[in-house]
Amino acid sequence: MTTHNLDTRGQRCPLPIINLAKFMAGLPEGDTVVITSSDPAAEYDIPAWAGMKGRQCSSPEVIRDDMAQFRFLVTFTVTNAPVV
């Protein structure tokens, strides 16, 4: 089981979701993706996408970085759930 990082800062909806879906497509079961996003919609969109795809998603952690942006760190665990 490996943890991967995906940085989508600067991307606006729907790009963080599109890039996350592509990134996760080839990961083995049990791997985790930590996604960082500056898109305010990511706080809602990423957990909703995870639920629709049968993924486990932690609550977003909002962090103020040096550039006064908000980042949402969301952890996904790849499961046996079918991905459509």
Side-chain angles (χ1 to χ4, degrees):
M1 292 185 211
T2 305
T3 298
H4 307 272
N5 292 299
L6 178 62
D7 186 350
T8 64
R9 286 177 287 181
Q11 298 177 10
R12 293 289 180 209
C13 185
L15 290 178
I17 298 293
I18 291 169
N19 289 323
L20 177 61
K22 288 179 184 178
F23 189 83
M24 290 189 70
L27 296 183
E29 180 181 341
D31 277 14
T32 298
V33 176
V34 179
I35 181 169
T36 305
S37 178
S38 57
D39 181 9
E43 182 177 12
Y44 307 101
D45 292 348
I46 292 172
W49 177 86
M52 290 188 310
K53 297 299 181 181
R55 305 294 191 208
Q56 295 176 358
C57 179
S58 67
S59 299
E61 179 183 352
V62 182
I63 299 173
R64 187 178 276 290
D65 67 11
D66 295 339
M67 300 181 70
Q69 297 181 56
F70 287 101
R71 296 183 301 170
F72 305 98
L73 306 180
V74 183
T75 303
F76 289 88
T77 301
V78 180
T79 65
N80 289 349
V83 178
V84 180

